[in-house]
Amino acid sequence: MPKTTPFHPRLEALNRTKIWDNWAGYLTAPRYQYSDLSEYYAIRNSAGLLDTSPLFKYRFSGADATKFLMHAMARDIRKCRVGQAQYTTWCDDNGFVIEDGVIVRTTENDYLLTAAEPNLRYFRQINRKIGLADCQIDDVSADYGILALQGPHSLNILRGLTADAEKLRYFRSVQTEIGDKPVLLTRTGFTGDLGYELWIKAEDCLDVWDTLMAAGKDYNITPLGLHALKIARVEAGLLLLDVDFSSTRYAWVDAQRETPIELGWEWMFRGLHKDDRDFIGRVAIESEIANKTSRWKTVGLTVDWHHYQQLHREAGIMPPLDGVFHEGTMNIYRQSEIPWDYAGYATSLVYSSILRKHIAIAKLPLDLCEPGSQVSLEITIIRRSVNVLARVAEMPFFNPNRKTNLI
Amino acid sequence: MSQQNYDAIVIGGGHNGLVNACYLAKNGLKTLVLERRHLVGGAAITEELLPGYKFTTFSYALSLIRPDICEELNLPQHGMMTLPMPNDFHPGFNGDYLKFNGDAYEDYHEVARYSAEDAEALHDFRHLMNRVCYAMKPIMDSIPPNSRSDDPEELQRVADLHGYLEGLDDDIQELIHKLWRGSIAEVLDEYFESELLKGLMASSSIIGSMVGPRSPGSGLVWLFHKMGEYDGSFGSWGFHKGGNGGFTQVLAKALRSFGGEILLDAGVSEVLRQEGRTTGVRLTDGREFYAPTVVSALDPRNTFLKLVDPAELPADLVSHIEAYKFQGSASKVNFVLNDVPPYPGFEGNTEIFRGFTNVGPTLDYLQEAFEDAAAGRISRRPFIDACVQSTVDPDMTPPGKHIMSCFVMYTPYHLAESDWDTERETLGDIVQETLNEFFPGFHDIVEHREVVTPLDIERIVGISEGNIFHGELFADQMFMNRPAPGWNQYRTPIAGYYQCGSGTHPGGCVIGAPGKLAAQQILGDLVSAI
Ligand SMILES: Cc1cc2nc3c(=O)[nH]c(=O)nc-3n(C[C@H](O)[C@H](O)[C@H](O)COP(=O)(O)OP(=O)(O)OC[C@H]3O[C@@H](n4cnc5c(N)ncnc54)[C@H](O)[C@@H]3O)c2cc1C
């Protein structure tokens, strides 16, 4: 029996399609209404509300918690002050990525982390090995529900409920109350838009859901299924575990593994030379940066609009736009004399309604990574492989000012 | 008199003028748009007539805008955002209704409540319709051949076109033929039996046009509207963020990004000519602007009979333009509401209003409405295409309020026994009363009402007789005949003077194609001249 999140009684009533997916063992709705696009556009135009409670949640506390995270996490946790949040990754000794996640520093010695996979034993093992006296690591997954309230009107909704939302900056957090229930509010999200996430005690979840839905009624607040989120996250250039990369923990060979640099997270290591931490994977990461030994890079790709139209016209069919959503492997070739000259592959290909074109996340060799570089992406037209012109593009594909601005 | 020199001047900042100017500016011409009003957009504007309330005064939904234009002018980058319409609601009599959710099988079962055969036929019909539209798309998106030219190249293009049409699948050809000259009712009667479904499907056949669903000509109006698309789905519509005025503001931004200029409050009174060539324009206030290329984005009557002296034009052209039919038939009534309209069983349900709400239950209802208009009267029970954009776009109204745009047919420009200044509130009352009939209690939720008559459209937007398409979409004034045979390629008899409004191919709606294709012609002519 799949488990249900604390919001389930509400979600069940709202899920018009009655179709559920399994996310980490929990029932989750791919969509609540038939139109994925309406849910998607709530994120870009009004506000969407998403239950992300199936994520694993960990608390790190005690006087040594910071020390522990300095070692376990690849990105420097000391840059995350109290009241801030940090997007981070943790790697193995060879500098291959285990996972990524957002960590919130709630007080000097207290952190909360979300992760896609179980990591309790993994983190505790590390702690046992380095033997820090005062660092507790707890699985608090069942103690909290998490909601993501995302979209340009998310602040308008929160503004009426708490005075703390207004001045909350990007990647900051604040302990506040929503309808007299304590809530940890962070200005974070997986949509690339203005948005917030709320950690809510399990027993308060339904009340807070109701409060938000009522406050959002006049702002077209829309329950979001995972599908809408997945379109938005590709536009935002945010990578998804098991789609755009796999964890080194369950890989067989290095070809399945990726380094943070290969995933495009080099920016996490900007001050590395001034950073004296002994963190897991440091030697390998440092050497990769210094010797430029990355095997590929993760880049954005946009499909050439005219060529896509032309290929379908030649085949005599309407080019599929809405509904193109492909999480898998699509081959990419060099535009060279040699036919089918393999270059790399795309992992997520979606039609972006707001950008009016197909976009993808891809892995390409370093010489093809300059924005504007032209490649051929293999797609299928009437069951035949066809190469369509695509260009390397900067990610995020969609990046509105409101995401980071003080409003 | 001030004087300034440009490479190109576009008269009229409607969406076609803006699209045209974008292409000219993008191709390096120093381009100026002259707009008579205090804002650009023409029929596609959004106005905050009451603080916090955004009215789509005229045009209110988007579909025909050519996808290639959005791509080539980078419109998404400038803020283009078309919200989907996930639902359509079609109230009937005695509690009947059709409510579409956008799920193929849910919609099947919805129609099957009235007829299982219709539900299945709808799938077949939609598929055929998609194939017809895809076949017609290249024709819509290219400059039509000139039927009056002896140029071998043009003769070849006419021949090619015939060849292309004859090469299409038989069922596609057959439907195109029926739609081109016939009525939509003939086509619908062949496929469907449910009067409610036929009523809904016929609505696109009468929009803005002085035809009933049983009149010949309604087929073509219908086909024209189905040529629009939303994310690759023909016949689907959306709301531009902030209304259609939001879209024309995006065009204005795009134009500035290409280096084009816009001058507001600049009504043009005359196109300047010298020895058969244009040299620029004179404004109503006497200012003059000079350019070797001048493009009129106004309707054909303005372009040929007002901005220049028709005596200088070929008599054949003048007589065609004089005979060109405007006969505006549509108007708008826009309401501020304190709730969504109450439909029995759906009270307070905003979901059903997230797309078109189609008041016009049956073919008979629509035909009767037309017959009133044919006799020179406002339809006693009008067809109303209602949209409550605020259900999906919270930026349209203050929280808790709604704005409902109602497009109303038929309201003939030429009233037999009265005039529009007298009948404005009569129209408002008829529309409100009709809505109250279908949504009992509607009267109680109305907080404010704005009535826009065909005469208002003429006075404010400057479109002759208030025809929303700059002239009827009838076969004899479409394609090679729009606006007149021989003058369908955006040129005029005056060298350097061009036309790009909705009165040119392919026609009206927020579509952009006239603007783009005219630019293609202009740029081509400039290259040939070198
Ligand atoms: C009430 C109404 C509802 C409609 N609803 C829809 C809809 O929902 N969807 C849709 O796709 N289409 C709709 N249409 C049709 C569509 O809006 C029009 O076909 C289209 O906007 C016309 O664009 P245009 O650029 O060709 O001309 P216009 O929009 O008419 O622009 C002409 C411009 O020229 C300016 N002008 C006039 N005279 C002068 C002068 N002498 N000097 C300088 N400037 C001048 C005008 O002010 C105006 O800005 C509607 C139209 C109306 C009127």
Side-chain angles (χ1 to χ4, degrees):
Chain A
M1 269 290 279
K3 291 166 77 78
T4 55
T5 75
F7 301 103
H8 194 72
R10 296 295 181 270
L11 310 186
E12 184 163 42
L14 286 163
N15 187 346
R16 299 270 308 277
T17 71
K18 301 295 169 207
I19 293 168
W20 300 92
D21 236 334
N22 177 319
W23 178 9
Y26 290 85
L27 285 185
T28 190
R31 59 188 58 77
Y32 288 88
Q33 51 182 308
Y34 289 110
S35 169
D36 290 316
L37 213 54
S38 293
E39 294 183 11
Y40 160 79
Y41 269 113
I43 300 171
R44 299 287 179 234
N45 149 67
S46 54
L49 193 59
L50 175 76
D51 174 17
T52 68
S53 307
L55 288 169
F56 293 88
K57 310 171 200 72
Y58 299 108
R59 159 169 283 133
F60 303 86
S61 54
D64 290 329
T66 305
K67 246 188 222 160
F68 171 79
L69 293 166
M70 281 168 63
H71 176 66
M73 298 301 191
R75 196 174 170 199
D76 190 353
I77 194 66
R78 290 170 300 183
K79 289 187 186 150
C80 181
R81 308 268 154 76
V82 176
Q84 293 189 357
Q86 189 188 63
Y87 178 55
T88 188
T89 180
W90 51 107
C91 300
D92 67 13
D93 281 327
N94 297 320
F96 290 120
V97 169
I98 296 174
E99 249 182 81
D100 60 338
V102 171
I103 191 161
V104 188
R105 188 170 191 173
T106 54
T107 64
E108 186 60 30
N109 293 318
D110 196 89
Y111 298 87
L112 290 169
L113 171 77
T114 51
E117 291 289 321
N119 277 274
L120 181 69
R121 178 169 179 276
Y122 169 79
F123 285 130
R124 282 185 177 169
Q125 286 271 54
I126 294 170
N127 198 30
R128 284 193 278 267
K129 200 163 135 200
I130 58 176
L132 290 169
D134 188 8
C135 174
Q136 274 78 255
I137 304 170
D138 300 300
D139 184 336
V140 294
S141 300
D143 301 352
Y144 297 95
I146 302 186
L147 288 179
L149 176 66
Q150 304 280 304
H153 281 277
S154 51
L155 176 59
N156 286 335
I157 294 168
L158 288 173
R159 198 182 262 138
L161 301 174
T162 163
D164 292 320
E166 186 81 46
K167 44 189 188 302
L168 195 64
R169 294 202 280 149
Y170 189 51
F171 267 82
R172 297 300 147 100
S173 76
V174 62
Q175 186 63 50
T176 185
E177 283 185 1
I178 300 281
D180 75 27
K181 304 295 181 200
V183 158
L184 175 67
L185 179 71
T186 63
R187 187 162 157 193
T188 51
F190 207 55
T191 62
D193 217 298
L194 173 65
Y196 301 83
E197 288 172 300
L198 300 89
W199 290 64
I200 307 155
K201 286 203 178 126
E203 62 270 26
D204 296 334
C205 279
L206 293 179
D207 285 332
V208 173
W209 175 275
D210 292 341
T211 306
L212 289 171
M213 286 298 281
K217 182 175 168 286
D218 293 332
Y219 296 98
N220 186 34
I221 194 170
T222 304
L224 297 180
L226 277 192
H227 195 87
L229 176 78
K230 285 177 168 192
I231 301 172
R233 72 98 194 161
V234 177
E235 291 173 343
L238 296 168
L239 308 185
L240 195 58
L241 182 71
D242 290 336
V243 174
D244 302 306
F245 67 101
S246 339
S247 172
T248 178
R249 280 174 86 178
Y250 308 110
W252 295 64
V253 293
D254 286 357
Q256 297 172 303
R257 303 185 158 97
E258 302 208 44
T259 71
I261 314 302
E262 289 166 345
L263 290 179
W265 299 338
E266 190 160 357
W267 57 268
M268 287 192 189
F269 307 101
R270 248 174 228 143
L272 196 55
H273 55 287
K274 287 180 281 176
D275 163 1
D276 53 358
R277 287 179 306 133
D278 163 33
F279 66 86
I280 301 172
R282 171 162 191 149
V283 176
I285 291 169
E286 235 168 0
S287 141
E288 181 185 347
I289 295 172
N291 302 319
K292 301 194 166 42
T293 51
S294 304
R295 297 160 298 173
W296 55 74
K297 251 179 88 175
T298 305
V299 296
L301 215 58
T302 56
V303 174
D304 183 79
W305 189 91
H306 286 283
H307 196 219
Y308 188 81
Q309 296 279 327
Q310 181 203 326
L311 289 172
H312 287 86
R313 174 64 70 183
E314 284 164 5
I317 59 167
M318 284 265 290
L321 303 180
D322 182 29
V324 173
F325 179 88
H326 201 330
E327 292 181 336
T329 304
M330 285 139 283
N331 291 330
I332 298 172
Y333 304 94
R334 286 178 190 274
Q335 297 221 311
S336 69
E337 304 286 281
I338 309 158
W340 308 103
D341 186 5
Y342 183 84
Y345 60 96
T347 47
S348 304
L349 171 74
V350 306
Y351 176 72
S352 164
S353 177
I354 199 168
L355 299 172
R356 297 178 157 258
K357 58 176 64 166
H358 298 81
I359 56 175
I361 296 173
K363 315 280 172 177
L364 285 176
L366 306 190
D367 67 303
L368 284 176
C369 289
E370 268 308 298
S373 300
Q374 301 196 356
V375 294
S376 297
L377 175 70
E378 183 179 337
I379 57 169
T380 304
I381 300 179
I382 322 187
R383 300 174 192 275
R384 276 188 53 201
S385 287
V386 178
N387 283 340
V388 62
L389 171 63
R391 288 184 191 80
V392 173
E394 308 256 15
M395 290 202 286
F397 297 96
F398 181 79
N399 196 20
N401 291 334
R402 59 180 180 257
K403 177 178 92 176
T404 49
N405 276 3
L406 258 188
I407 319 271
Chain B
M1 289 294 112
S2 70
Q3 85 168 52
Q4 265 180 298
N5 293 305
Y6 289 87
D7 296 327
I9 290 171
V10 178
I11 308 169
H15 85 284
N16 276 315
L18 293 170
V19 165
N20 184 261
C22 279
Y23 277 96
L24 298 181
K26 189 182 171 193
N27 282 277
L29 301 195
K30 186 168 190 265
T31 305
L32 172 69
V33 173
L34 295 170
E35 167 54 46
R36 190 181 60 159
R37 297 195 68 205
H38 61 281
L39 81 175
V40 293
I45 57 171
T46 305
E47 295 179 288
E48 195 167 330
L49 299 178
L50 299 174
Y53 293 89
K54 302 211 179 107
F55 288 74
T56 47
T57 317
F58 310 105
S59 193
Y60 55 98
L62 205 58
S63 173
L64 279 111
I65 181 66
R66 308 320 293 150
D68 48 327
I69 294 177
C70 305
E71 162 67 16
E72 287 157 8
L73 301 181
N74 303 327
L75 299 186
Q77 203 179 304
H78 296 289
M80 181 174 190
M81 191 201 293
T82 320
L83 308 173
M85 293 185 175
N87 303 78
D88 281 315
F89 188 63
H90 179 56
F93 298 116
N94 310 319
D96 278 352
Y97 62 83
L98 282 169
K99 177 168 79 67
F100 288 111
N101 283 334
D103 178 73
Y105 286 102
E106 266 224 359
D107 292 352
Y108 169 89
H109 291 297
E110 180 70 2
V111 176
R113 295 196 296 130
Y114 297 97
S115 161
E117 287 204 22
D118 277 12
E120 188 179 328
L122 189 57
H123 284 230
D124 289 338
F125 187 67
R126 277 189 183 151
H127 182 56
L128 177 56
M129 187 272 275
N130 282 337
R131 289 166 56 228
V132 165
C133 291
Y134 197 50
M136 294 300 282
K137 200 171 164 176
I139 295 175
M140 187 165 218
D141 288 331
S142 53
I143 301 172
N146 182 342
S147 61
R148 296 287 171 98
S149 169
D150 306 324
D151 182 341
E153 217 174 283
E154 291 296 325
L155 294 172
Q156 186 58 47
R157 290 190 62 209
V158 176
D160 289 349
L161 182 73
H162 284 291
Y164 175 79
L165 290 172
E166 276 157 25
L168 296 172
D169 294 348
D170 289 348
D171 54 348
I172 295 181
Q173 282 191 55
E174 198 186 312
L175 188 54
I176 291 175
H177 282 298
K178 280 185 193 154
L179 291 171
W180 198 266
R181 289 282 170 188
S183 78
I184 194 64
E186 289 164 62
V187 173
L188 295 178
D189 284 339
E190 204 180 297
Y191 274 84
F192 307 106
E193 56 184 355
S194 154
E195 290 305 319
L196 196 58
L197 180 64
K198 284 190 273 187
L200 172 64
M201 295 193 66
S203 59
S204 301
S205 76
I206 61 167
I207 297 287
S209 308
M210 202 58 160
V211 288
R214 296 211 165 90
S215 327
S218 55
L220 182 53
V221 176
W222 188 88
L223 174 60
F224 190 84
H225 280 99
K226 295 299 167 192
M227 295 294 301
E229 51 191 285
Y230 186 100
D231 282 353
S233 151
F234 282 119
S236 299
W237 291 72
F239 292 117
H240 195 277
K241 180 75 182 165
N244 275 0
F247 176 66
T248 44
Q249 289 304 313
V250 166
L251 285 175
K253 265 200 199 167
L255 177 57
R256 292 198 187 91
S257 81
F258 295 123
E261 295 171 41
I262 296 170
L263 193 63
L264 299 173
D265 300 306
V268 173
S269 61
E270 195 184 351
V271 171
L272 303 172
R273 287 103 54 208
Q274 226 168 46
E275 289 155 19
R277 270 213 67 89
T278 180
T279 54
V281 300
R282 182 178 303 120
L283 302 192
T284 47
D285 61 15
R287 278 182 292 170
E288 293 185 355
F289 294 86
Y290 303 110
T293 299
V294 173
V295 194
S296 167
L298 313 188
D299 69 46
R301 191 178 286 173
N302 281 293
T303 301
F304 292 105
L305 308 183
K306 296 196 178 153
L307 293 178
V308 297
D309 181 357
E312 296 170 17
L313 302 176
D316 168 55
L317 168 61
V318 173
S319 67
H320 262 106
I321 299 298
E322 281 170 344
Y324 180 91
K325 288 200 177 79
F326 286 94
Q327 53 185 28
S329 51
S331 48
K332 280 291 292 287
V333 181
N334 297 319
F335 294 96
V336 170
L337 308 177
N338 59 28
D339 199 352
V340 289
Y343 193 76
F346 293 95
E347 289 86 354
N349 183 329
T350 55
E351 196 177 287
I352 59 173
F353 296 106
R354 299 187 302 172
F356 291 128
T357 300
N358 192 76
V359 176
T362 60
L363 292 175
D364 284 342
Y365 179 105
L366 300 176
Q367 192 65 26
E368 271 166 40
F370 169 67
E371 263 136 38
D372 278 337
R377 290 193 300 266
I378 304 175
S379 304
R380 283 163 290 184
R381 282 167 108 202
F383 161 76
I384 301 168
D385 182 24
C387 283
V388 194
Q389 179 164 351
S390 49
T391 59
V392 290
D393 182 353
D395 294 303
M396 298 301 283
T397 50
K401 305 289 185 181
H402 286 290
I403 195 146
M404 179 154 106
S405 148
C406 293
F407 180 86
V408 182
M409 298 286 301
Y410 300 79
T411 53
Y413 175 80
H414 298 287
L415 288 172
E417 281 164 13
S418 186
D419 62 80
W420 277 113
D421 286 323
T422 315
E423 299 303 328
R424 171 173 289 103
E425 293 313 319
T426 317
L427 170 59
D429 291 343
I430 290 175
V431 170
Q432 195 168 319
E433 202 52 62
T434 305
L435 287 167
N436 200 66
E437 182 191 339
F438 285 91
F439 299 94
F442 182 80
H443 285 313
D444 305 332
I445 61 169
V446 173
E447 292 198 345
H448 181 84
R449 170 174 107 185
E450 295 277 333
V451 180
V452 182
T453 71
L455 186 62
D456 294 328
I457 298 172
E458 181 178 65
R459 284 178 183 158
I460 300 168
V461 191
I463 308 174
S464 304
E465 300 180 25
N467 182 298
I468 73 165
F469 304 129
H470 287 197
E472 294 280 27
L473 304 178
F474 295 166
D476 54 6
Q477 39 191 61
M478 291 293 271
F479 195 52
M480 293 191 282
N481 303 324
R482 196 165 184 89
W487 301 103
N488 62 315
Q489 295 184 322
Y490 311 97
R491 301 185 183 107
T492 73
I494 299 162
Y497 182 41
Y498 291 85
Q499 36 169 347
C500 79
S502 295
T504 59
H505 172 79
C509 278
V510 180
I511 178 171
K516 174 183 168 172
L517 296 175
Q520 211 167 291
Q521 188 67 286
I522 294 164
L523 293 164
D525 288 352
L526 287 174
V527 172
S528 332
I530 297 170

